[in-house]
Amino acid sequence: MKTTKLIVIFIMTLFITNCSNKKAEKQNNSDEKITEVVESTPEEVSLFNRLGGEKGISMIVDDIVQAHLDNPTINEVFLPLKENPEHFEAFKRHVKEFLSAGTGGGATYTGKDLPAAHKGLNTTEAQFLAAVDDILGVLSKHNIDEETKKDMLYILYSMKGAVIGL
Ligand code: HEM
């Protein structure tokens, strides 16, 4: 009887140890899965990288400026900038730096602050909307994903007060 009891205790101990090992294994597996999910979450990729880094941003800004020059609602504001090629190039460089610095890239913005840059332009709501439309159109042309476009739209709107009616 004593031996039978000992055997039962031994078997139960084996069973319990086995079960807890399996549980630990399962825990490890699910931990791995959680890590994988966190690593591949889109939010982990900076907006800067989602826009294609320095090169992507440079091409996007060139296209945005060209879209503004072609857009009859706002081109009267941008066409005069071309009369001074040095100023025009500095303006484009500043917008590239602005977008890079503001999205997680390494650039340093060397232009004016937004209200100072837009003072005297008296930009209207309609002009602001036209500019945002141009930007979203260019992002689509560059195959930027919908989530990134939404993020950009949110950021642009957050700066509306710093660029219109000044
Ligand atoms: C959220 C929207 C906007 C942002 C983030 C933005 C950003 C900028 C930046 C970074 C510059 C460069 C400043 C410098 O060179 O020191 C700039 C310049 C300029 N922006 Fe905007 N802008 C916006 C909307 C607009 C709109 C709606 C218009 C007019 C329709 C406009 C017209 C201009 C013009 C004409 C300049 C050149 C000013 C100059 O060099 O004298 N911007 N903008």
Side-chain angles (χ1 to χ4, degrees):
M1 187 63 187
K2 213 174 171 191
T3 325
T4 319
K5 251 187 181 170
L6 274 173
I7 290 170
V8 169
I9 291 169
F10 180 69
I11 291 171
M12 279 183 73
T13 313
L14 270 182
F15 180 74
I16 291 165
T17 320
N18 198 22
C19 274
S20 62
N21 281 348
K22 280 216 173 104
K23 209 171 164 193
E25 250 177 60
K26 209 171 170 191
Q27 181 72 40
N28 282 345
N29 282 347
S30 60
D31 280 355
E32 271 169 29
K33 281 204 182 97
I34 287 167
T35 317
E36 273 170 32
V37 170
V38 169
E39 276 170 2
S40 62
T41 302
E43 282 78 19
E44 289 285 305
V45 182
S46 70
L47 192 48
F48 173 76
N49 284 328
R50 286 185 276 147
L51 293 171
E54 295 296 348
K55 210 173 161 201
I57 284 177
S58 179
M59 290 191 295
I60 285 170
V61 171
D62 285 342
D63 283 357
I64 289 171
V65 172
Q66 191 53 53
H68 289 351
L69 291 167
D70 294 337
N71 186 336
T73 310
I74 50 175
N75 62 5
E76 60 179 346
V77 186
F78 293 95
L79 283 169
L81 298 177
K82 286 200 88 176
E83 286 162 21
N84 180 344
E86 218 174 292
H87 182 83
F88 185 63
E89 286 311 312
F91 154 68
K92 285 205 290 184
R93 192 176 60 250
H94 291 155
V95 179
K96 288 173 191 184
E97 290 169 358
F98 185 84
L99 193 51
S100 165
T103 56
T108 304
Y109 178 58
T110 59
K112 296 176 190 160
D113 63 61
L114 285 189
H118 298 87
K119 204 171 166 65
L121 294 176
N122 204 12
T123 306
T124 64
E125 182 97 27
Q127 286 176 317
F128 179 80
L129 288 176
V132 170
D133 264 1
D134 283 347
I135 296 168
L136 292 180
V138 169
L139 294 179
S140 293
K141 185 187 146 194
H142 285 257
N143 296 317
I144 303 299
D145 64 276
E146 291 303 312
E147 200 59 34
T148 303
K149 282 197 279 182
K150 267 192 228 157
D151 290 345
M152 284 291 290
L153 188 61
Y154 181 82
I155 294 168
L156 289 170
Y157 264 89
S158 74
M159 294 182 294
K160 186 174 142 186
V163 299
I164 75 164
L166 303 167

